[in-house]
Amino acid sequence: MISRFLPADFDPTAELTLLSGKGAYPRILAARAREAGVPLSLIAIVDEVDDDFVATFPPDRVMWAKVGQLGKFLSELKILHSRYFIMCGRVAPKRLFHGLVPDLKAALALAKLKERNAHTIFGAIADEAERNGVIQLDSRAFMDDELATEGAIVGKASKISQGQLEYGIRIAKECARLDIGQGVVVAGGTVTAVEAYEGTDKMLRRCADIPKKNPLFVKTVKPKHDYRFDVPCFGMRTLDSLEIGGIKHVALQADNVVILEKQKVLEEARRRGITIIGYRVDDQ
């Protein structure tokens, strides 16, 4: 089995197109897919994708689109003979909510939305692609080995009290359910910080100015989370933010959070004395 996150009828000989933004995620995913022998092409988001990543594709397998150019994106999928596509990499939120200049196809799709957030906008893209015969895949596909696992990942799980862990998970889950954010910091029975629009790193870094004792960072996902559009990630930048925020304990939801450049990150966490555990909960 190539990946447990692929559909049962996945055809590994069919073209897979990456709709890519910035960061390590697209590089790792592309490497894993190539190792599996899956033919790849790239639609790079203008001003978002890393040039060195684009260079790993043959020029005739690369196309470009701006955020909001849904019609162009669909046409490019057709030109590339894509059967599947995956969204991967970071896209600046301002491009989705403040800098979005949709083409006609996107404007018509957006006009049907009752709410405009990342999931509804990306959902409209997926729906239009599927009408054109292209299936969007779970973004965890090919990333199985990069996921957080249950139990102690770095350090001893006993360093995090069960009471604090359960409290942190409960608060994180409620925030995710309300679509506020997917991460919280708790200290004892107190909520120290909640992730919102600013993102994980800024939330962790502002903890530096908040009095706290033995804080725990908990990362989770929404109930019935749609992994086609968003996979929570933990990487080197997160370690830097934890250090700035004075946080030494981390709990990641197993099978749901990707640890980017996993071996490197875990070795560095160990060097910095950061404990990381994976937990499992029922999201139904």
Side-chain angles (χ1 to χ4, degrees):
M1 182 172 62
I2 298 174
S3 171
R4 59 193 159 119
F5 301 108
L6 290 170
D9 61 351
F10 177 75
D11 180 0
T13 67
E15 187 76 14
L16 168 61
T17 297
L18 307 187
L19 177 58
S20 177
K22 292 181 183 293
Y25 203 114
R27 292 196 297 274
I28 297 169
L29 194 156
R32 299 289 184 271
R34 285 171 176 143
E35 288 169 4
V38 177
L40 285 184
S41 54
L42 175 70
I43 296 179
I45 299 175
V46 176
D47 296 328
E48 292 290 341
V49 74
D50 298 322
D51 291 338
D52 59 342
F53 176 61
V54 175
T56 66
F57 290 80
D60 65 340
R61 306 313 296 159
V62 177
M63 293 194 169
W64 296 82
K66 293 181 180 179
V67 174
Q69 291 184 311
L70 178 56
K72 189 171 191 289
F73 169 63
L74 295 173
S75 296
E76 290 175 344
L77 286 175
K78 185 174 182 180
I79 293 168
L80 292 167
H81 303 289
S82 304
R83 180 71 182 92
Y84 308 100
F85 81 97
I86 289 182
M87 289 184 175
C88 53
R90 300 190 310 275
V91 176
K94 66 181 180 181
R95 294 192 186 278
L96 285 176
F97 301 109
H98 303 302
L100 183 65
V101 182
D103 62 12
L104 178 60
K105 190 77 173 178
L108 291 173
L110 291 173
K112 300 174 185 177
L113 301 179
K114 293 181 179 180
E115 295 182 12
R116 290 194 184 186
N117 54 46
H119 278 64
T120 60
I121 292 171
F122 290 142
I125 294 173
D127 291 343
E128 290 294 333
E130 189 167 352
R131 278 191 273 272
N132 283 267
V134 185
I135 299 169
Q136 183 174 3
L137 300 178
D138 186 320
S139 292
R140 294 172 296 175
F142 307 102
M143 300 290 280
D144 304 53
D145 293 340
E146 304 293 319
L147 290 165
T149 53
E150 188 174 9
I153 300 174
V154 175
K156 296 181 178 180
S158 58
K159 288 187 176 181
I160 300 172
S161 76
Q162 188 63 28
Q164 185 178 29
L165 175 61
E166 290 174 356
Y167 176 69
I169 292 171
R170 179 162 57 85
I171 297 300
K173 279 294 173 189
E174 186 64 12
C175 289
R177 185 186 68 80
L178 294 171
D179 204 17
I180 296 170
Q182 299 177 143
V184 300
V185 177
V186 297
T190 302
V191 179
T192 301
V194 173
E195 176 188 344
Y197 180 79
E198 83 275 32
T200 299
D201 290 299
K202 288 185 178 179
M203 183 266 291
L204 294 173
R205 290 173 185 234
R206 61 183 164 85
C207 288
D209 300 322
I210 303 172
K212 55 198 176 298
K213 183 179 180 181
N214 200 33
L216 169 67
F217 167 51
V218 181
K219 190 76 172 177
T220 191
V221 294
K222 299 177 184 179
K224 299 182 180 178
H225 191 81
D226 194 330
Y227 294 93
R228 294 177 301 168
F229 314 126
D230 175 34
V231 179
C233 293
F234 184 98
M236 290 299 296
R237 189 169 61 173
T238 320
L239 290 181
D240 292 339
S241 299
L242 287 166
E243 191 163 53
I244 291 169
I247 301 162
K248 290 288 187 180
H249 303 302
V250 176
L252 307 175
Q253 187 165 343
D255 292 335
N256 303 84
V257 179
V258 167
I259 304 176
L260 292 171
E261 301 174 297
K262 190 173 184 179
Q263 183 176 354
K264 178 181 175 182
V265 166
L266 298 187
E267 289 174 356
E268 183 62 18
R270 189 172 292 109
R271 189 188 71 79
R272 298 188 190 194
I274 294 174
T275 298
I276 304 175
I277 67 168
Y279 67 91
R280 198 176 299 280
V281 293
D282 183 4
D283 277 331
Q284 299 306 311

